[in-house]
Amino acid sequence: MRIRFIKASETHALRHEVLRPRQSMEEMEWPQDLAEDSFHLGVSIGGHLISVVSFIRERNELLRGWKQYRLRGMATHPEFQGQGAGRRLLQFGVDHLRTLKADLVWCNAREKATALYAKEGFLPEGVPFEIEGIGVHQLMFLRL
């Protein structure tokens, strides 16, 4: 498994397949993807992306922190889920955020992903909530 920085457009296929299959491919491009402070990571095996994630500089008013980043769009191809790609991607991203002097990373974690984030030290904030058409989520954060 190799982790590398990727272009935002390289995240779209896995975002669509794993996270939002009912939406169009055009909707996989998010407004903050191309922001100067955003970065995207991918795990590849044999040159094929199997897992992706985006980190966007975005403030969550429910959380304290002067330089916050939002983890968004973490997706691992179904054939490779449970093999550590997502965990390694998350750890690499958090390490990079520390080099950027970020003090907090947060995400709206899908219900089935909260255990992964908790194992990496993320804490829940508030109560679970529904994102229409996508499912139940939990706000989670990690102080850096």
Side-chain angles (χ1 to χ4, degrees), residues 40-61:
H40 313 275
L41 300 171
V43 173
S44 57
I45 295 179
H48 299 286
L49 279 175
I50 63 158
S51 189
V52 297
V53 67
S54 298
F55 290 89
I56 302 189
R57 183 143 184 216
E58 182 178 337
R59 181 169 183 74
N60 185 311
E61 294 299 326

Side-chain angles (χ1 to χ4, degrees), residues 104-124:
L104 182 116
V105 59
W106 63 275
C107 64
N108 290 327
R110 288 172 186 251
E111 200 169 35
K112 70 180 188 175
T114 57
L116 166 70
Y117 294 116
K119 285 180 188 175
E120 295 303 318
F122 281 68
L123 300 170

Side-chain angles (χ1 to χ4, degrees), residues 11 17 22 28 44 51 61-62 75 80 122 125 135 142:
T11 66
E17 181 178 353
R22 292 185 211 111
M28 297 305 104
S44 57
S51 189
E61 294 299 326
L62 298 174
F80 295 95
F122 281 68
E125 176 67 29
L142 175 68

Side-chain angles (χ1 to χ4, degrees), residues 4-5 14 26 44 54 65 76 79 98 107 113-114 116 120 134:
R4 62 185 172 92
F5 289 89
L14 279 173
E26 291 75 30
S44 57
S54 298
T76 300
E79 292 178 17
R98 287 185 174 114
C107 64
T114 57
L116 166 70
E120 295 303 318
I134 300 172

Side-chain angles (χ1 to χ4, degrees), residues 13-121:
L14 279 173
R15 283 180 184 176
H16 184 260
E17 181 178 353
V18 177
L19 302 175
R20 299 182 180 210
R22 292 185 211 111
Q23 294 181 348
S24 70
M25 279 299 287
E26 291 75 30
E27 292 174 283
M28 297 305 104
E29 184 173 315
W30 299 332
Q32 309 96 326
D33 277 347
L34 301 178
E36 186 177 320
D37 291 339
S38 296
F39 64 95
H40 313 275
L41 300 171
V43 173
S44 57
I45 295 179
H48 299 286
L49 279 175
I50 63 158
S51 189
V52 297
V53 67
S54 298
F55 290 89
I56 302 189
R57 183 143 184 216
E58 182 178 337
R59 181 169 183 74
N60 185 311
E61 294 299 326
L62 298 174
L63 302 169
R64 286 179 299 131
W66 64 275
K67 190 173 184 182
Q68 298 182 18
Y69 271 80
R70 180 179 182 183
L71 180 159
R72 199 161 183 214
M74 180 177 270
T76 300
H77 190 281
E79 292 178 17
F80 295 95
Q81 291 178 2
Q83 297 179 27
R87 181 181 55 79
R88 289 183 59 194
L89 205 54
L90 179 59
Q91 291 170 345
F92 187 97
V94 166
D95 286 345
H96 185 65
L97 288 173
R98 287 185 174 114
T99 69
L100 297 175
K101 307 271 191 261
D103 63 346
L104 182 116
V105 59
W106 63 275
C107 64
N108 290 327
R110 288 172 186 251
E111 200 169 35
K112 70 180 188 175
T114 57
L116 166 70
Y117 294 116
K119 285 180 188 175
E120 295 303 318

